[in-house]
Amino acid sequence: MAAVVEETTVPETEVPVATDVTFRIRRFLPDVDTEPHWEDYTIALFPTDRVLTALEKIKGEVDGTLSFRRSCGHGICGSDAMRINGRNRLACKTLVKDLDTSKPITIEAIKGLEVEKDMIVDMEPFFAAYRQVLPFLIPEGHEPSRERLQSAEDRARFDDTTKCILCACCTTSCPVYWTDGQYFGPAAIVAAHRFIFDSRDAGFEQRLEVLNDKEGVWRCRTTFNCTDACPRGIEVTKAIQEVKRALIFRRV
Amino acid sequence: MATTTPVGTLYRGGEGMWTWVLHRVTGVAVFFFLFVHVLDTALVRVSPEAYDLVIATYKTPIVNLLEVGLVGAVLYHALNGLRVILVDFWSKGPRYQRQMTWTIAAVWLLVMVPGTYFMMIHTVEALFGSTP
Amino acid sequence: MSAPSIDAPRSPQGGRRTSQRSNFELYSWLFMRISGLVLVFLVLGHLFIMNILDGGVQRINFAFVAGRWASPFWQSWDLLMLWLAMLHGTNGMRTIINDYAERDQTRFWLKMLLYVSAAFIILLGTLVIFTFDPNIG
Amino acid sequence: MQTHTFDVIIVGAGGAGMRAALESSSRARTAVLTKLYPTRSHTGAAQGGMCAALANVEEDNWEWHTFDTIKGGDYLVDQDAAEIMCKEAIDAVLDLEKMGLPFNRTPEGRIDQRRFGGHTRNHGEAAVRRACYAADRTGHMILQTLYQNCIKAGVEFYNEFYVLDIILNEDSGQPVAAGAVAYELATGEIHIFRAKSVVFATGGYGKVWKTTSNAHTLTGDGMGIVWRKGLPLEDMEFYQFHPTGLAGLGVLLTEGARGEGGILRNASGERFMERYAPTIKDLAPRDMVARAMVQEVREGRGAGPNKDYVYLDLTHLPAEQVEAKLPDITEFARTYLGVDPINELVPVFPTAHYAMGGVPTNVHTEVLRDNEHVVPGLYAAGEVACVSVHGANRLGTNSLLDINVFGRRAGIAAAEYANSVELAELPNDPQGATIALVEGLRSGAGSERVAALRKDMQETMDMNAQVYRTEATLKQALSDVQELKARYKNVSVQDKGTRYNTDLIEAIELGFLLDLAEVTVVSALERKESRGGHAREDYPNRDDVNFMRHTMAYKAEDVSGEDYVRLDYKPVTVTRYEPMERKY
Ligand SMILES: Cc1cc2nc3c(=O)[nH]c(=O)nc-3n(C[C@H](O)[C@H](O)[C@H](O)COP(=O)(O)OP(=O)(O)OC[C@H]3O[C@@H](n4cnc5c(N)ncnc54)[C@H](O)[C@@H]3O)c2cc1C
Ligand code: HEM
Ligand code: SF4
Ligand code: F3S
Ligand code: FES
């Protein structure tokens, strides 16, 4: 139904061509499979297509049983974290042109959370850890009638960690979390950081109590996988380091 | 509930992950060596002969090679340990972790190349005779 | 649900226990760093002297050791190194066991084994350094 | 099947749903049912800001804000509702700040404000700084802050529960809310939630169009459910096309970009908005800017190989300002188009964005079943609802405001109502229709594919019912949609499983989309004038004599038993602003 444009009016430059790309997807259908297995799908894609588009195409045109979560489609809702070519990424923020298409592109569920179906994992433990760090403002004193004042510098202090979309790319890239699911994980620490360094917050002691736990910040071995994986470009390891230092220098 | 273990691909972590793996491996290796080393040193309490006998094995070519490996492991562990400490305590550490990784790799090579030479020179001489 | 599912490694199904209000992990973490710093000098110095300085391992024998431990300086060097390295290593091994042992039982016994053997080595080493008699034999 | 009982259930955990939950959960036993994890809701995609006449940076007052809202909505706004919204706006923003929302700050430490389209000083004199913002992540911060406060308040969430039907008790001759039926994605199980009040906060239906800023999940379920119950939908012909979507993709670039000083240019570099809105130029309301852009392209001044888009120019702004205040959209342009806004022009074109219409409610958020009567116990707030504060065209930032003001009102009203009545009896077999729907799709052996039907629907809607419409295009769209509806009866679901059956869900969602596409087109066909977001080329002028009224669409059956869209009308509430020509 698209308007037909005459051949001659289209300049030769930048006419993108669709090429065949193969995806090697780790499938697991709980209703039929006892074990996950790899399956290949080849579809035609433009270089600027997102991996999410590819998955949509496979689901829509080839195999409707392929299951994954997605919503916003542009890296803002955190639904579609998955392992693409061995690394945690958002499918909607990964463009085909940025991947090596001479080999099959591998797609599998993120690691460390229970796989429910294909790319869908049980997110509950992830959110449970988030909830445990008291991720909300704990204000001091009585409510002012207008807004609480905060200088632009104080606001900037925790800006980085406010960007988190809870996609779990970081936590499920963490080698410690893979083997010790009890570890709070980087995302929860990022959430705690956002409040610890908010000048309006007075919940420092309570929150640090949680993070000082056996499974808290001390579990982090600075492997930087989280920082590398974060689609929002949050300096996750740095945030964890700042929380560690806050713990040491205010309590020791 | 668990019926199968997931066999996915290996996670393609960055330098940070691999430096950590190496740190762990070297830490464990050094720990076990330390065990043995304290035990063999304890032989000095038994008799000089016993001690010298064990120490003699340290001077064989193969063990000498292991010795070089040990020094390499300790050196890496120490250098990376310093990097980890900088990441933890220097506010710009996390941002420069990559650069620090390459720095320690360079330092390690700079020390190990001549170090290996000095550690192996005697073995080489013993094996092939000293050069005139 | 009867359908099979893949288990995640030790996922915190039952919810985790909350903080035991102790700073143990904090201190142990700090200790790793401080001891590490000191060990850099002690261990690297030790290795340098033993393995590289004039003749390396070739010159080591009973007499060499005897000569060294005659000096209180070397005695305390080695003693400090022994203690710090063992505590540092043991604490490191503790972390590793925590990471990889999947069942609480396994974890407990592995740690017991670790602590007992570490204590044995530390005591043995200390004993050797203190009670060393150069005139033995 | 399981049955749960609550005082209040809230369907949807976007901004409106969670704002309602915060109020309701402290007053009555509340559950929030949401098809997405709360933080995945599309409120998180909102970028630019939330308006309130705080007057933190320059003189302003809520009355000016009301005027702008009404004028921006091309006088189809119910003025009493707009007054309430603009008055309560100030507290809505301050409440969010107190909950912890990290707004950008002025040098004095107050909430910073910036300019936004259609928001003016003293009834149109000049653009005013009224939008409170947190970089270009205002919606993200609102969604996160509300979720965080829901955790603090211990709100009970049922995540990945798809509400597919509401339960109405009709014993007394008029419908009364009795609960909702939900499909649990994880297990495929059907749940009945009994409740005294039901709040719908399910968001918009942008997926009817192909080029859209909306999430894949914005499929108008709430509107569709209400519609299928025979309740009306209001003003569905008014759908907003946001001027600056990334060309070809629809990913939104906030109007805040123009608020910060960005300029729209055509292929020859001309600042064309000077011709269309001489006073506030690039900050004219969205409908006007979108039309201007389409006009430029039609008249051959479009840029690119196909001359089918225009440019958003930020290159003259200091790089630090762009990086600091518009970091996300800068990244979108870099990621998805490979264009760096710091030193390159960004290709943009209108993208389907926001439903002005929806489930009609009064200012207490009670859902109307006709022009006067409400459905007791049924509430709606947010994009799913039509109060109507946006009239024919919503001003930028007024939606985040809407969800907070009316979300809050819905939470309070629903809880208070629940505390004053007994639980309504369930009708017979309340889950029957839902089970029939689910099982019918799952077991059906049709040959039509969901993705193909959806694509056809989106393409015809983009072609024929977008920024500009005519009788002919709308008729084309209508026949296409009706044909698709017929084909939909034969749709196939390949996944026959029970667990996480997203294939099935997409088929159900497509059903809602097709219904809403039809209502939109039919409503648009009958509005033979141009007003706000509804631009008819065959009727280019506003016609206050015949069409100064809201459209009310009902699902009806003709004599042969075929469904059709029946249209009725409702007067606009005018308090103090008489309609006048809309010039900027
Ligand atoms: C890209 C973009 C930018 C925007 N920028 C701005 C801006 O700067 N300023 C402004 O004022 N407005 C902006 N808007 C508009 C505004 O963000 C939305 O209109 C508003 O957030 C809608 O909120 P909501 O709570 O009504 O719905 P949503 O946030 O969409 O939430 C809908 C909720 O309903 C749930 N749901 C839906 N169907 C079902 C079902 N069947 N069963 C159970 N749950 C269901 C979903 O899970 C979700 O939780 C923007 C919109 C977009 C798309
Ligand atoms: C030479 C100087 C040394 C330095 C600077 C050093 C530094 C460190 C540091 C900082 C850590 C913590 C790593 C982390 O938390 O991520 C660590 C861990 C460890 N160290 Fe050392 N160390 C040194 C010597 C030793 C020695 C001699 C041993 C062996 C006995 C050893 C064994 C270990 C072990 C087993 C770990 C745990 C590894 C892990 O958890 O992954 N280290 N070291
Ligand atoms: S910190 Fe980054 S990777 Fe981790 S959850 Fe948040 S956005 Fe995702
Ligand atoms: S990956 Fe894990 S170990 Fe620390 S630096 Fe990140 S949390
Ligand atoms: S779909 Fe929202 S982040 Fe990818």
Side-chain angles (χ1 to χ4, degrees):
Chain A
M1 279 174 222
V4 181
V5 183
E6 270 187 65
E7 208 67 1
T8 48
T9 64
V10 184
E12 288 304 305
T13 53
E14 293 196 43
V15 183
V17 278
T19 47
D20 276 355
V21 181
T22 302
F23 287 84
R24 180 160 294 167
I25 305 182
R26 192 147 183 272
R27 302 292 313 271
F28 174 70
L29 298 180
D31 293 302
V32 289
D33 295 340
T34 52
E35 255 178 87
H37 60 98
W38 294 92
E39 210 152 312
D40 284 6
Y41 302 88
T42 302
I43 49 166
L45 289 170
F46 292 107
T48 50
D49 277 338
R50 310 160 212 189
V51 169
L52 181 63
T53 316
L55 295 177
E56 290 277 347
K57 263 187 120 150
I58 295 170
K59 185 178 180 65
E61 294 163 18
V62 187
D63 185 348
T65 63
L66 182 66
S67 304
F68 49 91
R69 292 189 176 101
R70 86 295 176 244
S71 184
C72 69
H74 64 280
I76 214 74
C77 75
S79 298
D80 56 347
M82 54 188 74
R83 204 134 55 101
I84 301 173
N85 276 352
R87 287 199 177 95
N88 282 0
R89 311 255 212 140
L90 296 177
C92 64
K93 251 191 133 170
T94 309
L95 269 51
V96 171
K97 70 176 163 61
D98 298 326
L99 298 170
D100 174 10
T101 50
S102 64
K103 295 187 300 230
I105 294 167
T106 63
I107 309 253
E108 61 203 298
I110 46 179
K111 194 169 164 172
L113 293 164
E114 200 168 323
V115 178
E116 303 274 1
K117 182 176 184 178
D118 292 346
M119 255 52 70
I120 299 179
V121 298
D122 178 11
M123 294 296 287
E124 210 28 61
F126 174 78
F127 280 102
Y130 173 74
R131 288 194 295 266
Q132 279 205 327
V133 300
L134 314 177
F136 38 77
L137 192 76
I138 303 178
E140 202 169 25
H142 48 257
E143 284 216 334
S145 56
R146 292 280 297 192
E147 69 260 45
R148 287 191 183 78
L149 298 184
Q150 181 171 53
S151 72
E153 298 76 61
D154 283 347
R155 167 65 181 80
R157 179 68 188 86
F158 62 100
D159 185 62
D160 200 35
T161 42
T162 61
K163 298 187 303 201
C164 176
I165 53 174
L166 295 170
C167 66
C169 276
C170 55
T171 296
T172 57
S173 75
C174 174
V176 178
Y177 188 77
W178 297 333
T179 54
D180 177 8
Q182 307 255 318
Y183 172 40
F184 281 96
I189 302 173
V190 162
H193 178 280
R194 179 247 171 275
F195 289 100
I196 290 172
F197 293 94
D198 187 334
S199 58
R200 299 168 298 171
D201 187 81
F204 183 76
E205 287 297 325
Q206 293 167 57
R207 224 168 264 119
L208 292 195
E209 197 64 57
V210 179
L211 294 169
N212 202 19
D213 187 88
K214 178 157 135 301
E215 304 293 351
V217 282
W218 310 118
R219 217 78 183 78
C220 167
R221 310 245 73 84
T222 52
T223 65
F224 284 93
N225 273 5
C226 51
T227 304
D228 294 344
C230 181
R232 300 285 284 160
I234 299 172
E235 294 182 273
V236 183
T237 312
K238 183 160 185 280
I240 299 175
Q241 172 233 40
E242 287 174 354
V243 173
K244 284 175 183 164
R245 287 198 303 180
L247 271 173
I248 290 172
F249 294 119
R250 307 232 188 146
R251 304 234 340 198
V252 171
Chain B
M1 256 205 348
T3 51
T4 48
T5 37
V7 192
T9 60
L10 196 64
Y11 192 87
R12 285 189 33 206
E15 296 90 334
M17 180 170 118
W18 295 113
T19 53
W20 163 77
V21 170
L22 256 184
H23 191 80
R24 181 157 273 197
V25 170
T26 54
V28 174
V30 174
F31 181 74
F32 283 120
F33 168 77
L34 186 60
F35 241 84
V36 177
H37 190 46
V38 171
L39 286 176
D40 68 51
T41 308
L43 289 176
V44 294
R45 284 280 288 148
V46 180
S47 73
E49 292 74 31
Y51 181 74
D52 285 343
L53 197 69
V54 173
I55 283 301
T57 61
Y58 277 75
K59 299 172 186 174
T60 62
I62 304 225
V63 179
N64 191 216
L65 208 63
L66 286 177
E67 201 66 349
V68 175
L70 176 81
V71 171
V74 173
L75 184 63
Y76 170 78
H77 187 94
L79 289 171
N80 192 53
L82 292 175
R83 170 180 156 276
V84 167
I85 293 171
L86 279 173
V87 165
D88 284 323
F89 288 99
W90 175 37
S91 61
K92 292 208 176 70
R95 207 164 287 169
Y96 291 112
Q97 64 103 358
R98 272 209 175 86
Q99 286 88 327
M100 291 197 286
T101 301
W102 298 116
T103 310
I104 65 168
V107 172
W108 189 85
L109 274 178
L110 273 178
V111 175
M112 282 313 283
V113 171
T116 310
Y117 172 78
F118 284 117
M119 285 171 67
M120 297 292 286
I121 186 83
H122 305 285
T123 306
V124 175
E125 281 170 1
L127 277 180
F128 304 108
S130 60
T131 36
Chain C
M1 289 309 298
S2 56
S5 56
I6 306 170
D7 226 11
R10 267 173 64 208
S11 48
Q13 302 289 348
R16 62 176 71 67
R17 290 171 294 276
T18 36
S19 160
Q20 288 112 36
R21 288 184 169 270
S22 100
N23 279 337
F24 179 75
E25 292 296 331
L26 187 159
Y27 289 127
S28 110
W29 183 88
L30 256 186
F31 171 77
M32 288 306 272
R33 275 128 253 260
I34 295 168
S35 60
L37 273 181
V38 181
L39 281 170
V40 172
F41 298 100
L42 296 179
V43 174
L44 293 188
H46 176 82
L47 287 175
F48 183 69
I49 293 163
M50 294 310 227
N51 287 323
I52 294 180
L53 261 188
D54 48 61
V57 83
Q58 303 301 328
R59 77 203 136 105
I60 296 177
N61 55 28
F62 183 81
F64 179 82
V65 176
R68 235 166 63 94
W69 280 348
S71 139
F73 175 78
W74 290 117
Q75 259 190 336
S76 18
W77 177 300
D78 284 0
L79 189 72
L80 189 62
M81 183 169 70
L82 170 75
W83 276 75
L84 283 182
M86 278 310 292
L87 289 177
H88 176 103
T90 307
N91 199 24
M93 292 300 290
R94 181 182 69 93
T95 309
I96 295 175
I97 293 173
N98 276 342
D99 275 0
Y100 297 122
E102 295 211 356
R103 295 190 312 130
D104 283 352
Q105 284 272 320
T106 330
R107 194 163 340 124
F108 177 81
W109 288 114
L110 276 175
K111 280 201 242 175
M112 279 305 129
L113 180 68
L114 174 71
Y115 297 154
V116 170
S117 40
F120 169 72
I121 293 290
I122 292 180
L123 289 179
L124 178 69
T126 310
L127 201 74
V128 170
I129 295 173
F130 272 128
T131 63
F132 173 67
D133 173 7
N135 303 318
I136 187 179
Chain D
M1 202 193 61
Q2 296 183 36
T3 305
H4 316 257
T5 306
F6 289 92
D7 290 328
V8 179
I9 56 172
I10 295 170
V11 185
M18 290 204 284
R19 190 68 188 82
L22 283 176
E23 297 301 329
S24 150
S25 63
S26 64
R27 294 173 167 85
R29 235 193 118 218
T30 303
V32 181
L33 277 56
T34 168
K35 72 176 184 181
L36 302 172
Y37 274 88
T39 54
R40 317 284 184 234
S41 302
H42 209 55
T43 294
Q47 303 167 352
M50 167 168 169
C51 266
L54 293 182
N56 273 359
V57 284
E58 58 183 305
E59 190 191 351
D60 197 5
N61 66 56
W62 66 262
E63 194 268 330
W64 294 350
H65 186 183
T66 311
F67 171 79
D68 290 336
T69 301
I70 293 166
K71 181 179 171 195
D74 224 348
Y75 295 93
L76 199 72
V77 172
D78 282 332
Q79 300 189 1
D80 53 340
E83 259 177 56
I84 288 177
M85 180 174 81
C86 297
K87 216 188 288 183
E88 292 183 9
I90 295 167
D91 275 334
V93 168
L94 295 179
D95 281 349
L96 285 171
E97 197 283 332
K98 286 170 196 165
M99 288 183 204
L101 197 140
F103 283 109
N104 275 42
R105 300 289 173 154
T106 65
E108 302 79 49
R110 303 204 161 280
I111 296 170
D112 198 11
Q113 299 187 277
R114 67 172 160 215
R115 296 189 183 94
F116 238 82
H119 290 280
T120 67
R121 171 155 47 90
N122 195 15
H123 312 100
E125 263 175 22
V128 75
R129 307 228 260 155
R130 186 180 287 149
C132 309
Y133 67 100
D136 53 359
R137 314 184 176 112
T138 317
H140 165 77
M141 300 300 187
I142 289 179
L143 191 70
Q144 297 287 329
T145 303
L146 290 175
Y147 181 56
Q148 289 158 356
N149 280 273
C150 283
I151 292 176
K152 191 176 184 178
V155 172
E156 202 168 329
F157 286 101
Y158 287 83
N159 295 327
E160 303 196 312
F161 274 63
Y162 284 70
V163 169
L164 298 181
D165 203 1
I166 45 174
I167 308 175
L168 299 175
N169 179 314
E170 316 232 11
D171 286 352
S172 52
Q174 59 151 358
V176 174
V181 186
Y183 173 91
E184 183 183 0
L185 186 65
T187 59
E189 214 180 327
I190 302 284
H191 295 249
I192 289 186
F193 287 82
R194 298 188 62 183
K196 297 172 185 171
S197 342
V198 179
V199 181
F200 266 57
T202 52
Y205 69 106
K207 275 290 151 182
V208 158
W209 285 271
K210 181 170 155 220
T211 311
T212 176
S213 67
N214 280 199
H216 288 279
T217 45
L218 284 181
T219 50
D221 307 1
M223 295 181 201
I225 290 168
V226 165
W227 166 256
R228 288 179 187 177
K229 281 287 178 210
L231 297 171
L233 291 177
E234 182 176 345
D235 287 344
M236 292 295 281
E237 64 273 37
F238 294 105
Y239 198 89
Q240 179 168 79
F241 298 88
H242 192 294
T244 51
L246 285 182
L249 296 173
V251 173
L252 194 79
L253 302 184
T254 175
E255 194 169 291
R258 281 170 285 139
E260 293 292 339
I263 292 171
L264 291 168
R265 298 189 186 281
N266 59 22
S268 54
E270 183 207 4
R271 183 179 192 178
F272 60 86
M273 280 313 294
E274 278 173 338
R275 277 185 277 121
Y276 298 86
T279 322
I280 57 176
K281 305 181 181 96
D282 299 278
L283 285 174
R286 290 177 180 171
D287 57 327
M288 300 178 87
V289 182
R291 281 196 298 275
M293 289 166 69
V294 174
Q295 205 62 36
E296 290 300 300
V297 164
R298 286 189 174 181
E299 288 167 12
R301 293 190 289 277
N306 298 325
K307 293 175 175 283
D308 59 355
Y309 53 75
V310 299
Y311 290 121
L312 175 64
D313 181 2
L314 300 177
T315 55
H316 56 289
L317 302 176
E320 313 81 66
Q321 183 188 350
V322 177
E323 300 274 11
K325 299 217 168 148
L326 304 165
D328 277 4
I329 62 157
T330 308
E331 197 194 318
F332 295 154
R334 286 178 187 148
T335 307
Y336 296 113
L337 287 185
V339 168
D340 189 351
I342 305 277
N343 45 37
E344 287 171 275
L345 303 177
V346 187
V348 290
F349 204 65
T351 178
H353 185 56
Y354 184 86
M356 268 77 73
V359 178
T361 71
N362 60 21
V363 296
H364 310 295
T365 70
E366 293 168 291
V367 171
L368 298 172
R369 75 177 144 91
D370 53 33
N371 285 4
E372 281 127 44
H373 300 97
V374 301
V375 181
L378 188 58
Y379 300 81
E383 193 171 336
V384 67
C386 177
V387 191
S388 132
V389 280
H390 307 306
N393 170 60
R394 168 175 73 87
L395 286 191
T397 72
N398 266 357
S399 172
L400 290 178
L401 182 56
D402 174 3
I403 62 177
N404 277 287
V405 167
F406 291 99
R408 175 174 165 277
R409 286 179 152 247
I412 297 173
E416 283 177 353
Y417 172 80
N419 289 337
S420 69
V421 297
E422 291 299 311
L423 199 62
E425 284 301 315
L426 287 182
N428 273 339
D429 191 23
Q431 74 280 16
T434 309
I435 290 179
L437 175 72
V438 168
E439 288 314 319
L441 282 168
R442 206 206 312 265
S443 58
S447 55
E448 297 285 357
R449 305 206 59 154
V450 174
L453 296 184
R454 190 172 49 208
K455 181 162 171 279
D456 288 354
M457 169 192 69
Q458 291 172 339
E459 284 182 352
T460 183
M461 290 299 281
D462 262 22
M463 280 293 283
N464 299 311
Q466 220 206 22
V467 175
Y468 281 107
R469 299 139 181 213
T470 67
E471 175 108 18
T473 64
L474 288 170
K475 282 200 162 139
Q476 178 65 47
L478 184 59
S479 73
D480 287 348
V481 169
Q482 282 171 344
E483 190 194 311
L484 289 167
K485 281 185 79 171
R487 283 169 64 193
Y488 177 74
K489 296 205 171 92
N490 196 24
V491 81
S492 80
V493 170
Q494 291 187 326
D495 194 338
K496 308 290 181 195
T498 51
R499 301 179 66 188
Y500 290 98
N501 194 335
T502 50
D503 202 22
L504 173 72
I505 287 297
E506 286 190 26
I508 296 174
E509 289 172 339
L510 176 63
F512 290 131
L513 286 174
L514 284 168
D515 282 359
L516 298 176
E518 185 181 19
V519 183
T520 303
V521 174
V522 171
S523 304
L525 258 174
E526 289 312 310
R527 186 173 282 275
K528 297 184 164 107
E529 64 158 350
S530 289
R531 182 191 295 270
H534 175 67
R536 288 280 299 256
E537 282 178 281
D538 37 0
Y539 302 94
N541 298 317
R542 197 170 83 192
D543 176 358
D544 285 344
V545 178
N546 294 307
F547 288 103
M548 183 60 181
R549 56 186 192 180
H550 298 290
T551 308
M552 297 285 273
Y554 296 82
K555 178 178 155 162
E557 249 177 43
D558 62 16
V559 278
S560 61
E562 284 292 308
D563 285 346
Y564 76 101
V565 181
R566 178 173 70 83
L567 295 186
D568 191 9
Y569 294 92
K570 190 178 85 167
V572 175
T573 311
V574 177
T575 55
R576 46 176 154 166
Y577 303 100
E578 281 308 316
M580 51 182 203
E581 201 200 337
R582 196 157 150 258
K583 269 202 332 223
Y584 286 92

